[in-house]
Amino acid sequence: QSLLTQPPSVSGAPGQRVTISCTGSSSSIGSFDVHWYQQLPGTAPKVLIYGNNNRPSGVPDRFSGSKSGTSASLAITGLQPEDEADYYCQSYDSNLRGYVFGTGTKVTVL
Amino acid sequence: QLQLQESGPGLVKPSETLSLTCTVSGGSISSIENSWAWIRQPPGKGLEWIGTRYYSGSTSFNSSLKSRVTVSIDTSKNQFSLKLSAVTAADTAVYYCARLADYYDSRSYSIGRYFDYWGQGTLVTVS
């Protein structure tokens, strides 16, 4: 049972900007940082954003993250065909005393 | 560059114990900055954290699985392992091992952990 809620899908044309929301609670996102992962079809997840808005080396600056209160967002600007993938947010939940993932969002490039 | 590789049986019978090993290369599994985790993904579904062994030696587990999970480390082989007992069809999933990395953000003064290196995953079917 995931306690981080994401929209099931978002879509956009190449070059457009899309955003993915991640809604948690005071015991998760409200208290801890959010991280984002990209999962291309048939592959393992890869970290895109850590600590709310930090990009690991090699991640394009088209990807950006933000957090406010008990919600977070991932934005993809200049959408490209290779961005078609599943995206997951992740945080820690103090009530559960464990790491939690979002429900996942499928991004489709039209 | 750290690399992780899962291995183990792809088919397990109901009520038996699932056993997987993660072999780490490119770094020491016992290094002080390294904590290790198991995560799974049922076919067509989302990610679920199973458990973590911290570099301190302590462990933590998903409360829904805690009574059935064991995570151990073998420093001589640079491996860590997962055992999940009394499996059912609901445990059918791709199982990933991952490193849990610590970070400090000097701009926001926040500290935290995230999964920075992942194995390719291995499908385990319970049937």
Side-chain angles (χ1 to χ4, degrees), chain A residues 33 35 37 39 43-45 47 50-51 53-54 88 90 97-99 101, chain B residues 41 45-47 49 54 96 100 103 105 107 110 113-115 118-119:
Chain A
D33 286 351
H35 322 296
Y37 303 86
Q39 187 175 32
T43 69
V47 60
Y50 69 93
N53 54 19
N54 298 291
Y88 294 90
Q90 179 256 310
R97 297 184 182 180
Y99 301 92
F101 287 93
Chain B
Q41 184 173 35
K45 296 187 178 181
L47 300 166
W49 169 73
Y54 297 97
Y96 297 100
L100 186 64
Y103 68 89
D105 188 341
R107 294 173 301 169
S110 67
R113 293 176 164 135
Y114 68 102
F115 304 104
W118 296 64

PDB file of all heavy atoms in Angstrom, chain A residues 33 35 37 39 43-45 47 50-51 53-54 88 90 97-99 101, chain B residues 41 45-47 49 54 96 100 103 105 107 110 113-115 118-119:
ATOM      1  N   ASP A  33      12.861  14.545   2.710  1.00  0.00           N
ATOM      2  CA  ASP A  33      13.090  14.903   1.315  1.00  0.00           C
ATOM      3  C   ASP A  33      12.438  13.904   0.364  1.00  0.00           C
ATOM      4  O   ASP A  33      12.114  12.770   0.737  1.00  0.00           O
ATOM      5  CB  ASP A  33      14.595  14.952   1.027  1.00  0.00           C
ATOM      6  CG  ASP A  33      15.254  16.183   1.620  1.00  0.00           C
ATOM      7  OD1 ASP A  33      14.528  17.073   2.107  1.00  0.00           O
ATOM      8  OD2 ASP A  33      16.505  16.249   1.584  1.00  0.00           O
ATOM      9  N   HIS A  35      12.668  12.086  -3.534  1.00  0.00           N
ATOM     10  CA  HIS A  35      13.564  11.679  -4.620  1.00  0.00           C
ATOM     11  C   HIS A  35      12.715  11.137  -5.766  1.00  0.00           C
ATOM     12  O   HIS A  35      11.608  10.631  -5.547  1.00  0.00           O
ATOM     13  CB  HIS A  35      14.549  10.615  -4.135  1.00  0.00           C
ATOM     14  CG  HIS A  35      15.032  10.840  -2.735  1.00  0.00           C
ATOM     15  ND1 HIS A  35      15.788  11.940  -2.384  1.00  0.00           N
ATOM     16  CD2 HIS A  35      14.801  10.149  -1.584  1.00  0.00           C
ATOM     17  CE1 HIS A  35      16.026  11.901  -1.068  1.00  0.00           C
ATOM     18  NE2 HIS A  35      15.430  10.827  -0.578  1.00  0.00           N
ATOM     19  N   TYR A  37      12.655   8.835  -9.503  1.00  0.00           N
ATOM     20  CA  TYR A  37      13.300   7.797 -10.299  1.00  0.00           C
ATOM     21  C   TYR A  37      12.589   7.657 -11.639  1.00  0.00           C
ATOM     22  O   TYR A  37      11.365   7.779 -11.718  1.00  0.00           O
ATOM     23  CB  TYR A  37      13.273   6.448  -9.567  1.00  0.00           C
ATOM     24  CG  TYR A  37      13.925   6.494  -8.207  1.00  0.00           C
ATOM     25  CD1 TYR A  37      13.196   6.882  -7.092  1.00  0.00           C
ATOM     26  CD2 TYR A  37      15.268   6.173  -8.045  1.00  0.00           C
ATOM     27  CE1 TYR A  37      13.792   6.959  -5.844  1.00  0.00           C
ATOM     28  CE2 TYR A  37      15.879   6.241  -6.800  1.00  0.00           C
ATOM     29  CZ  TYR A  37      15.131   6.635  -5.707  1.00  0.00           C
ATOM     30  OH  TYR A  37      15.735   6.711  -4.473  1.00  0.00           O
ATOM     31  N   GLN A  39      12.014   4.948 -14.768  1.00  0.00           N
ATOM     32  CA  GLN A  39      12.142   3.550 -15.134  1.00  0.00           C
ATOM     33  C   GLN A  39      11.753   3.368 -16.595  1.00  0.00           C
ATOM     34  O   GLN A  39      10.569   3.403 -16.945  1.00  0.00           O
ATOM     35  CB  GLN A  39      11.287   2.651 -14.239  1.00  0.00           C
ATOM     36  CG  GLN A  39      11.521   1.171 -14.492  1.00  0.00           C
ATOM     37  CD  GLN A  39      10.759   0.278 -13.527  1.00  0.00           C
ATOM     38  OE1 GLN A  39       9.667   0.606 -13.071  1.00  0.00           O
ATOM     39  NE2 GLN A  39      11.338  -0.871 -13.183  1.00  0.00           N
ATOM     40  N   THR A  43      13.716  -1.992 -17.710  1.00  0.00           N
ATOM     41  CA  THR A  43      14.988  -1.709 -17.035  1.00  0.00           C
ATOM     42  C   THR A  43      14.762  -1.366 -15.570  1.00  0.00           C
ATOM     43  O   THR A  43      13.634  -1.160 -15.127  1.00  0.00           O
ATOM     44  CB  THR A  43      15.728  -0.540 -17.703  1.00  0.00           C
ATOM     45  OG1 THR A  43      15.014   0.677 -17.458  1.00  0.00           O
ATOM     46  CG2 THR A  43      15.868  -0.759 -19.206  1.00  0.00           C
ATOM     47  N   ALA A  44      15.862  -1.291 -14.822  1.00  0.00           N
ATOM     48  CA  ALA A  44      15.789  -0.923 -13.420  1.00  0.00           C
ATOM     49  C   ALA A  44      15.575   0.584 -13.285  1.00  0.00           C
ATOM     50  O   ALA A  44      15.956   1.361 -14.177  1.00  0.00           O
ATOM     51  CB  ALA A  44      17.072  -1.316 -12.713  1.00  0.00           C
ATOM     52  N   PRO A  45      14.969   1.028 -12.192  1.00  0.00           N
ATOM     53  CA  PRO A  45      14.834   2.468 -11.957  1.00  0.00           C
ATOM     54  C   PRO A  45      16.198   3.141 -11.880  1.00  0.00           C
ATOM     55  O   PRO A  45      17.194   2.527 -11.494  1.00  0.00           O
ATOM     56  CB  PRO A  45      14.112   2.533 -10.607  1.00  0.00           C
ATOM     57  CG  PRO A  45      13.388   1.242 -10.504  1.00  0.00           C
ATOM     58  CD  PRO A  45      14.299   0.238 -11.149  1.00  0.00           C
ATOM     59  N   VAL A  47      17.910   7.016 -10.615  1.00  0.00           N
ATOM     60  CA  VAL A  47      17.591   8.238  -9.897  1.00  0.00           C
ATOM     61  C   VAL A  47      17.733   9.454 -10.815  1.00  0.00           C
ATOM     62  O   VAL A  47      18.724   9.607 -11.516  1.00  0.00           O
ATOM     63  CB  VAL A  47      18.445   8.385  -8.618  1.00  0.00           C
ATOM     64  CG1 VAL A  47      19.922   8.417  -8.915  1.00  0.00           C
ATOM     65  CG2 VAL A  47      18.008   9.594  -7.822  1.00  0.00           C
ATOM     66  N   TYR A  50      17.446  13.856  -6.405  1.00  0.00           N
ATOM     67  CA  TYR A  50      17.513  13.470  -5.003  1.00  0.00           C
ATOM     68  C   TYR A  50      17.468  14.733  -4.143  1.00  0.00           C
ATOM     69  O   TYR A  50      17.808  15.826  -4.611  1.00  0.00           O
ATOM     70  CB  TYR A  50      18.762  12.627  -4.704  1.00  0.00           C
ATOM     71  CG  TYR A  50      20.072  13.386  -4.786  1.00  0.00           C
ATOM     72  CD1 TYR A  50      20.626  13.968  -3.652  1.00  0.00           C
ATOM     73  CD2 TYR A  50      20.739  13.534  -6.001  1.00  0.00           C
ATOM     74  CE1 TYR A  50      21.806  14.667  -3.724  1.00  0.00           C
ATOM     75  CE2 TYR A  50      21.930  14.224  -6.080  1.00  0.00           C
ATOM     76  CZ  TYR A  50      22.469  14.789  -4.935  1.00  0.00           C
ATOM     77  OH  TYR A  50      23.641  15.489  -5.010  1.00  0.00           O
ATOM     78  N   GLY A  51      17.031  14.567  -2.923  1.00  0.00           N
ATOM     79  CA  GLY A  51      16.961  15.728  -2.029  1.00  0.00           C
ATOM     80  C   GLY A  51      16.091  16.842  -2.574  1.00  0.00           C
ATOM     81  O   GLY A  51      16.464  18.015  -2.520  1.00  0.00           O
ATOM     82  N   ASN A  53      15.533  18.514  -5.155  1.00  0.00           N
ATOM     83  CA  ASN A  53      15.827  19.299  -6.364  1.00  0.00           C
ATOM     84  C   ASN A  53      17.276  19.179  -6.836  1.00  0.00           C
ATOM     85  O   ASN A  53      17.771  20.070  -7.529  1.00  0.00           O
ATOM     86  CB  ASN A  53      15.494  20.769  -6.133  1.00  0.00           C
ATOM     87  CG  ASN A  53      16.179  21.323  -4.895  1.00  0.00           C
ATOM     88  OD1 ASN A  53      17.147  20.737  -4.413  1.00  0.00           O
ATOM     89  ND2 ASN A  53      15.682  22.427  -4.377  1.00  0.00           N
ATOM     90  N   ASN A  54      17.950  18.110  -6.469  1.00  0.00           N
ATOM     91  CA  ASN A  54      19.334  17.907  -6.890  1.00  0.00           C
ATOM     92  C   ASN A  54      19.412  16.849  -7.984  1.00  0.00           C
ATOM     93  O   ASN A  54      18.831  15.772  -7.864  1.00  0.00           O
ATOM     94  CB  ASN A  54      20.189  17.470  -5.694  1.00  0.00           C
ATOM     95  CG  ASN A  54      20.214  18.525  -4.614  1.00  0.00           C
ATOM     96  OD1 ASN A  54      20.790  19.584  -4.777  1.00  0.00           O
ATOM     97  ND2 ASN A  54      19.560  18.219  -3.490  1.00  0.00           N
ATOM     98  N   TYR A  88       8.683   7.512 -10.595  1.00  0.00           N
ATOM     99  CA  TYR A  88       8.280   7.259  -9.220  1.00  0.00           C
ATOM    100  C   TYR A  88       8.904   8.283  -8.275  1.00  0.00           C
ATOM    101  O   TYR A  88      10.102   8.567  -8.369  1.00  0.00           O
ATOM    102  CB  TYR A  88       8.727   5.865  -8.774  1.00  0.00           C
ATOM    103  CG  TYR A  88       8.057   4.722  -9.493  1.00  0.00           C
ATOM    104  CD1 TYR A  88       8.595   4.192 -10.659  1.00  0.00           C
ATOM    105  CD2 TYR A  88       6.872   4.171  -9.009  1.00  0.00           C
ATOM    106  CE1 TYR A  88       7.984   3.149 -11.333  1.00  0.00           C
ATOM    107  CE2 TYR A  88       6.247   3.122  -9.669  1.00  0.00           C
ATOM    108  CZ  TYR A  88       6.813   2.621 -10.826  1.00  0.00           C
ATOM    109  OH  TYR A  88       6.197   1.583 -11.482  1.00  0.00           O
ATOM    110  N   GLN A  90       9.753   9.084  -4.176  1.00  0.00           N
ATOM    111  CA  GLN A  90      10.111   8.245  -3.027  1.00  0.00           C
ATOM    112  C   GLN A  90      10.500   9.135  -1.856  1.00  0.00           C
ATOM    113  O   GLN A  90      11.111  10.185  -2.033  1.00  0.00           O
ATOM    114  CB  GLN A  90      11.257   7.310  -3.412  1.00  0.00           C
ATOM    115  CG  GLN A  90      11.751   6.390  -2.308  1.00  0.00           C
ATOM    116  CD  GLN A  90      13.053   6.841  -1.701  1.00  0.00           C
ATOM    117  OE1 GLN A  90      14.017   7.132  -2.410  1.00  0.00           O
ATOM    118  NE2 GLN A  90      13.115   6.914  -0.379  1.00  0.00           N
ATOM    119  N   ARG A  97       8.076   3.984   9.625  1.00  0.00           N
ATOM    120  CA  ARG A  97       9.497   3.721   9.870  1.00  0.00           C
ATOM    121  C   ARG A  97      10.105   2.992   8.675  1.00  0.00           C
ATOM    122  O   ARG A  97      10.835   1.991   8.843  1.00  0.00           O
ATOM    123  CB  ARG A  97       9.707   2.935  11.154  1.00  0.00           C
ATOM    124  CG  ARG A  97       9.264   3.677  12.384  1.00  0.00           C
ATOM    125  CD  ARG A  97       9.577   2.918  13.663  1.00  0.00           C
ATOM    126  NE  ARG A  97       9.093   3.635  14.837  1.00  0.00           N
ATOM    127  CZ  ARG A  97       9.234   3.205  16.090  1.00  0.00           C
ATOM    128  NH1 ARG A  97       9.858   2.074  16.329  1.00  0.00           N
ATOM    129  NH2 ARG A  97       8.758   3.910  17.100  1.00  0.00           N
ATOM    130  N   GLY A  98       9.809   3.487   7.505  1.00  0.00           N
ATOM    131  CA  GLY A  98      10.354   2.844   6.312  1.00  0.00           C
ATOM    132  C   GLY A  98      10.268   3.746   5.093  1.00  0.00           C
ATOM    133  O   GLY A  98       9.685   4.831   5.128  1.00  0.00           O
ATOM    134  N   TYR A  99      10.874   3.284   4.018  1.00  0.00           N
ATOM    135  CA  TYR A  99      10.917   4.034   2.770  1.00  0.00           C
ATOM    136  C   TYR A  99       9.651   3.738   1.962  1.00  0.00           C
ATOM    137  O   TYR A  99       9.197   2.587   1.909  1.00  0.00           O
ATOM    138  CB  TYR A  99      12.179   3.661   1.979  1.00  0.00           C
ATOM    139  CG  TYR A  99      13.433   3.946   2.771  1.00  0.00           C
ATOM    140  CD1 TYR A  99      14.015   2.966   3.574  1.00  0.00           C
ATOM    141  CD2 TYR A  99      14.004   5.217   2.755  1.00  0.00           C
ATOM    142  CE1 TYR A  99      15.141   3.249   4.334  1.00  0.00           C
ATOM    143  CE2 TYR A  99      15.120   5.494   3.509  1.00  0.00           C
ATOM    144  CZ  TYR A  99      15.687   4.514   4.304  1.00  0.00           C
ATOM    145  OH  TYR A  99      16.789   4.794   5.071  1.00  0.00           O
ATOM    146  N   PHE A 101       7.425   4.489  -1.765  1.00  0.00           N
ATOM    147  CA  PHE A 101       7.438   4.930  -3.149  1.00  0.00           C
ATOM    148  C   PHE A 101       6.052   5.429  -3.545  1.00  0.00           C
ATOM    149  O   PHE A 101       5.040   5.014  -2.976  1.00  0.00           O
ATOM    150  CB  PHE A 101       7.814   3.772  -4.081  1.00  0.00           C
ATOM    151  CG  PHE A 101       9.261   3.386  -4.031  1.00  0.00           C
ATOM    152  CD1 PHE A 101       9.700   2.381  -3.179  1.00  0.00           C
ATOM    153  CD2 PHE A 101      10.195   4.024  -4.838  1.00  0.00           C
ATOM    154  CE1 PHE A 101      11.041   2.022  -3.126  1.00  0.00           C
ATOM    155  CE2 PHE A 101      11.535   3.668  -4.803  1.00  0.00           C
ATOM    156  CZ  PHE A 101      11.961   2.675  -3.944  1.00  0.00           C
TER     157      PHE A 101
ATOM    158  N   GLN B  41       9.118  -5.345  -7.375  1.00  0.00           N
ATOM    159  CA  GLN B  41       8.104  -4.768  -8.256  1.00  0.00           C
ATOM    160  C   GLN B  41       7.293  -5.898  -8.876  1.00  0.00           C
ATOM    161  O   GLN B  41       7.755  -6.566  -9.805  1.00  0.00           O
ATOM    162  CB  GLN B  41       8.775  -3.928  -9.346  1.00  0.00           C
ATOM    163  CG  GLN B  41       7.811  -3.206 -10.251  1.00  0.00           C
ATOM    164  CD  GLN B  41       8.507  -2.245 -11.199  1.00  0.00           C
ATOM    165  OE1 GLN B  41       9.625  -2.499 -11.667  1.00  0.00           O
ATOM    166  NE2 GLN B  41       7.875  -1.123 -11.475  1.00  0.00           N
ATOM    167  N   LYS B  45       3.186  -3.518 -11.803  1.00  0.00           N
ATOM    168  CA  LYS B  45       2.834  -2.693 -10.645  1.00  0.00           C
ATOM    169  C   LYS B  45       4.011  -1.811 -10.212  1.00  0.00           C
ATOM    170  O   LYS B  45       5.040  -1.758 -10.883  1.00  0.00           O
ATOM    171  CB  LYS B  45       2.361  -3.584  -9.505  1.00  0.00           C
ATOM    172  CG  LYS B  45       1.081  -4.353  -9.820  1.00  0.00           C
ATOM    173  CD  LYS B  45       0.550  -5.080  -8.607  1.00  0.00           C
ATOM    174  CE  LYS B  45      -0.753  -5.801  -8.937  1.00  0.00           C
ATOM    175  NZ  LYS B  45      -1.300  -6.511  -7.747  1.00  0.00           N
ATOM    176  N   GLY B  46       3.832  -1.132  -9.101  1.00  0.00           N
ATOM    177  CA  GLY B  46       4.836  -0.188  -8.633  1.00  0.00           C
ATOM    178  C   GLY B  46       5.901  -0.821  -7.754  1.00  0.00           C
ATOM    179  O   GLY B  46       5.936  -2.019  -7.528  1.00  0.00           O
ATOM    180  N   LEU B  47       6.772   0.044  -7.261  1.00  0.00           N
ATOM    181  CA  LEU B  47       7.919  -0.374  -6.457  1.00  0.00           C
ATOM    182  C   LEU B  47       7.542  -0.498  -4.987  1.00  0.00           C
ATOM    183  O   LEU B  47       6.773   0.318  -4.460  1.00  0.00           O
ATOM    184  CB  LEU B  47       9.056   0.644  -6.612  1.00  0.00           C
ATOM    185  CG  LEU B  47       9.572   0.837  -8.037  1.00  0.00           C
ATOM    186  CD1 LEU B  47      10.432   2.103  -8.118  1.00  0.00           C
ATOM    187  CD2 LEU B  47      10.365  -0.374  -8.489  1.00  0.00           C
ATOM    188  N   TRP B  49       9.521  -1.136  -1.210  1.00  0.00           N
ATOM    189  CA  TRP B  49      10.723  -1.343  -0.410  1.00  0.00           C
ATOM    190  C   TRP B  49      10.526  -2.547   0.493  1.00  0.00           C
ATOM    191  O   TRP B  49       9.484  -2.680   1.134  1.00  0.00           O
ATOM    192  CB  TRP B  49      11.009  -0.085   0.413  1.00  0.00           C
ATOM    193  CG  TRP B  49      12.051  -0.245   1.457  1.00  0.00           C
ATOM    194  CD1 TRP B  49      13.404  -0.360   1.273  1.00  0.00           C
ATOM    195  CD2 TRP B  49      11.843  -0.291   2.869  1.00  0.00           C
ATOM    196  NE1 TRP B  49      14.039  -0.477   2.479  1.00  0.00           N
ATOM    197  CE2 TRP B  49      13.103  -0.434   3.479  1.00  0.00           C
ATOM    198  CE3 TRP B  49      10.708  -0.229   3.688  1.00  0.00           C
ATOM    199  CZ2 TRP B  49      13.272  -0.513   4.867  1.00  0.00           C
ATOM    200  CZ3 TRP B  49      10.867  -0.299   5.056  1.00  0.00           C
ATOM    201  CH2 TRP B  49      12.140  -0.444   5.641  1.00  0.00           C
ATOM    202  N   TYR B  54      21.825  -1.257   7.213  1.00  0.00           N
ATOM    203  CA  TYR B  54      22.629  -0.056   7.274  1.00  0.00           C
ATOM    204  C   TYR B  54      24.089  -0.399   7.559  1.00  0.00           C
ATOM    205  O   TYR B  54      24.399  -1.471   8.080  1.00  0.00           O
ATOM    206  CB  TYR B  54      22.089   0.882   8.356  1.00  0.00           C
ATOM    207  CG  TYR B  54      20.684   1.360   8.047  1.00  0.00           C
ATOM    208  CD1 TYR B  54      19.580   0.738   8.617  1.00  0.00           C
ATOM    209  CD2 TYR B  54      20.471   2.440   7.186  1.00  0.00           C
ATOM    210  CE1 TYR B  54      18.295   1.165   8.332  1.00  0.00           C
ATOM    211  CE2 TYR B  54      19.186   2.871   6.899  1.00  0.00           C
ATOM    212  CZ  TYR B  54      18.107   2.232   7.466  1.00  0.00           C
ATOM    213  OH  TYR B  54      16.845   2.657   7.173  1.00  0.00           O
ATOM    214  N   TYR B  96      14.921  -6.216  -6.897  1.00  0.00           N
ATOM    215  CA  TYR B  96      16.100  -5.387  -7.129  1.00  0.00           C
ATOM    216  C   TYR B  96      16.900  -5.241  -5.844  1.00  0.00           C
ATOM    217  O   TYR B  96      16.325  -5.081  -4.767  1.00  0.00           O
ATOM    218  CB  TYR B  96      15.703  -3.980  -7.570  1.00  0.00           C
ATOM    219  CG  TYR B  96      14.972  -3.868  -8.880  1.00  0.00           C
ATOM    220  CD1 TYR B  96      13.588  -3.712  -8.924  1.00  0.00           C
ATOM    221  CD2 TYR B  96      15.662  -3.873 -10.094  1.00  0.00           C
ATOM    222  CE1 TYR B  96      12.915  -3.581 -10.122  1.00  0.00           C
ATOM    223  CE2 TYR B  96      14.991  -3.744 -11.302  1.00  0.00           C
ATOM    224  CZ  TYR B  96      13.620  -3.606 -11.301  1.00  0.00           C
ATOM    225  OH  TYR B  96      12.953  -3.472 -12.498  1.00  0.00           O
ATOM    226  N   LEU B 100      21.788   2.301  -0.711  1.00  0.00           N
ATOM    227  CA  LEU B 100      21.125   3.445  -0.104  1.00  0.00           C
ATOM    228  C   LEU B 100      22.209   4.449   0.280  1.00  0.00           C
ATOM    229  O   LEU B 100      23.030   4.176   1.156  1.00  0.00           O
ATOM    230  CB  LEU B 100      20.331   3.007   1.124  1.00  0.00           C
ATOM    231  CG  LEU B 100      19.463   4.049   1.810  1.00  0.00           C
ATOM    232  CD1 LEU B 100      18.356   4.531   0.883  1.00  0.00           C
ATOM    233  CD2 LEU B 100      18.874   3.463   3.096  1.00  0.00           C
ATOM    234  N   TYR B 103      23.316  11.648   1.844  1.00  0.00           N
ATOM    235  CA  TYR B 103      23.718  12.915   1.248  1.00  0.00           C
ATOM    236  C   TYR B 103      23.467  14.046   2.228  1.00  0.00           C
ATOM    237  O   TYR B 103      22.666  13.914   3.156  1.00  0.00           O
ATOM    238  CB  TYR B 103      22.954  13.185  -0.057  1.00  0.00           C
ATOM    239  CG  TYR B 103      21.483  13.448   0.151  1.00  0.00           C
ATOM    240  CD1 TYR B 103      20.997  14.743   0.381  1.00  0.00           C
ATOM    241  CD2 TYR B 103      20.574  12.407   0.142  1.00  0.00           C
ATOM    242  CE1 TYR B 103      19.650  14.959   0.608  1.00  0.00           C
ATOM    243  CE2 TYR B 103      19.236  12.620   0.361  1.00  0.00           C
ATOM    244  CZ  TYR B 103      18.773  13.899   0.603  1.00  0.00           C
ATOM    245  OH  TYR B 103      17.437  14.110   0.823  1.00  0.00           O
ATOM    246  N   ASP B 105      22.728  18.221   1.795  1.00  0.00           N
ATOM    247  CA  ASP B 105      22.479  19.355   0.915  1.00  0.00           C
ATOM    248  C   ASP B 105      22.848  20.628   1.664  1.00  0.00           C
ATOM    249  O   ASP B 105      22.141  21.043   2.590  1.00  0.00           O
ATOM    250  CB  ASP B 105      21.008  19.382   0.483  1.00  0.00           C
ATOM    251  CG  ASP B 105      20.731  20.420  -0.584  1.00  0.00           C
ATOM    252  OD1 ASP B 105      21.540  21.363  -0.748  1.00  0.00           O
ATOM    253  OD2 ASP B 105      19.700  20.310  -1.270  1.00  0.00           O
ATOM    254  N   ARG B 107      22.742  23.625   0.728  1.00  0.00           N
ATOM    255  CA  ARG B 107      21.883  24.788   0.493  1.00  0.00           C
ATOM    256  C   ARG B 107      20.680  24.781   1.439  1.00  0.00           C
ATOM    257  O   ARG B 107      20.267  25.819   1.953  1.00  0.00           O
ATOM    258  CB  ARG B 107      21.396  24.794  -0.951  1.00  0.00           C
ATOM    259  CG  ARG B 107      22.494  25.003  -1.989  1.00  0.00           C
ATOM    260  CD  ARG B 107      21.944  24.816  -3.382  1.00  0.00           C
ATOM    261  NE  ARG B 107      21.374  23.483  -3.554  1.00  0.00           N
ATOM    262  CZ  ARG B 107      20.650  23.128  -4.594  1.00  0.00           C
ATOM    263  NH1 ARG B 107      20.376  23.977  -5.558  1.00  0.00           N
ATOM    264  NH2 ARG B 107      20.184  21.898  -4.684  1.00  0.00           N
ATOM    265  N   SER B 110      19.757  20.004   4.624  1.00  0.00           N
ATOM    266  CA  SER B 110      19.012  18.765   4.854  1.00  0.00           C
ATOM    267  C   SER B 110      19.898  17.557   4.608  1.00  0.00           C
ATOM    268  O   SER B 110      20.835  17.603   3.813  1.00  0.00           O
ATOM    269  CB  SER B 110      17.780  18.700   3.953  1.00  0.00           C
ATOM    270  OG  SER B 110      18.162  18.585   2.592  1.00  0.00           O
ATOM    271  N   ARG B 113      18.629  10.079   2.564  1.00  0.00           N
ATOM    272  CA  ARG B 113      19.129   8.894   1.888  1.00  0.00           C
ATOM    273  C   ARG B 113      18.277   8.613   0.664  1.00  0.00           C
ATOM    274  O   ARG B 113      17.066   8.822   0.689  1.00  0.00           O
ATOM    275  CB  ARG B 113      19.074   7.684   2.833  1.00  0.00           C
ATOM    276  CG  ARG B 113      20.015   7.754   4.007  1.00  0.00           C
ATOM    277  CD  ARG B 113      19.840   6.590   4.929  1.00  0.00           C
ATOM    278  NE  ARG B 113      20.990   6.472   5.830  1.00  0.00           N
ATOM    279  CZ  ARG B 113      20.889   6.254   7.124  1.00  0.00           C
ATOM    280  NH1 ARG B 113      19.694   6.141   7.685  1.00  0.00           N
ATOM    281  NH2 ARG B 113      21.966   6.144   7.874  1.00  0.00           N
ATOM    282  N   TYR B 114      18.910   8.115  -0.379  1.00  0.00           N
ATOM    283  CA  TYR B 114      18.182   7.714  -1.575  1.00  0.00           C
ATOM    284  C   TYR B 114      18.901   6.531  -2.205  1.00  0.00           C
ATOM    285  O   TYR B 114      20.045   6.235  -1.898  1.00  0.00           O
ATOM    286  CB  TYR B 114      18.055   8.876  -2.565  1.00  0.00           C
ATOM    287  CG  TYR B 114      19.353   9.311  -3.205  1.00  0.00           C
ATOM    288  CD1 TYR B 114      19.664   8.935  -4.513  1.00  0.00           C
ATOM    289  CD2 TYR B 114      20.263  10.103  -2.514  1.00  0.00           C
ATOM    290  CE1 TYR B 114      20.843   9.334  -5.109  1.00  0.00           C
ATOM    291  CE2 TYR B 114      21.449  10.497  -3.095  1.00  0.00           C
ATOM    292  CZ  TYR B 114      21.739  10.117  -4.402  1.00  0.00           C
ATOM    293  OH  TYR B 114      22.911  10.518  -4.976  1.00  0.00           O
ATOM    294  N   PHE B 115      18.195   5.838  -3.099  1.00  0.00           N
ATOM    295  CA  PHE B 115      18.732   4.645  -3.749  1.00  0.00           C
ATOM    296  C   PHE B 115      19.471   5.062  -5.010  1.00  0.00           C
ATOM    297  O   PHE B 115      18.850   5.419  -6.016  1.00  0.00           O
ATOM    298  CB  PHE B 115      17.594   3.669  -4.067  1.00  0.00           C
ATOM    299  CG  PHE B 115      16.777   3.286  -2.859  1.00  0.00           C
ATOM    300  CD1 PHE B 115      15.523   3.835  -2.651  1.00  0.00           C
ATOM    301  CD2 PHE B 115      17.278   2.380  -1.935  1.00  0.00           C
ATOM    302  CE1 PHE B 115      14.772   3.498  -1.527  1.00  0.00           C
ATOM    303  CE2 PHE B 115      16.537   2.034  -0.817  1.00  0.00           C
ATOM    304  CZ  PHE B 115      15.285   2.594  -0.608  1.00  0.00           C
ATOM    305  N   TRP B 118      21.399   0.604  -8.566  1.00  0.00           N
ATOM    306  CA  TRP B 118      20.460  -0.505  -8.605  1.00  0.00           C
ATOM    307  C   TRP B 118      21.037  -1.657  -9.427  1.00  0.00           C
ATOM    308  O   TRP B 118      21.772  -1.448 -10.393  1.00  0.00           O
ATOM    309  CB  TRP B 118      19.155  -0.064  -9.275  1.00  0.00           C
ATOM    310  CG  TRP B 118      18.377   0.996  -8.570  1.00  0.00           C
ATOM    311  CD1 TRP B 118      18.770   2.284  -8.329  1.00  0.00           C
ATOM    312  CD2 TRP B 118      17.057   0.885  -8.047  1.00  0.00           C
ATOM    313  NE1 TRP B 118      17.778   2.966  -7.678  1.00  0.00           N
ATOM    314  CE2 TRP B 118      16.704   2.135  -7.496  1.00  0.00           C
ATOM    315  CE3 TRP B 118      16.115  -0.161  -7.991  1.00  0.00           C
ATOM    316  CZ2 TRP B 118      15.465   2.360  -6.897  1.00  0.00           C
ATOM    317  CZ3 TRP B 118      14.885   0.070  -7.398  1.00  0.00           C
ATOM    318  CH2 TRP B 118      14.575   1.320  -6.865  1.00  0.00           C
ATOM    319  N   GLY B 119      20.659  -2.872  -9.047  1.00  0.00           N
ATOM    320  CA  GLY B 119      20.926  -4.012  -9.908  1.00  0.00           C
ATOM    321  C   GLY B 119      19.936  -4.027 -11.055  1.00  0.00           C
ATOM    322  O   GLY B 119      18.997  -3.224 -11.090  1.00  0.00           O
TER     323      GLY B 119
END
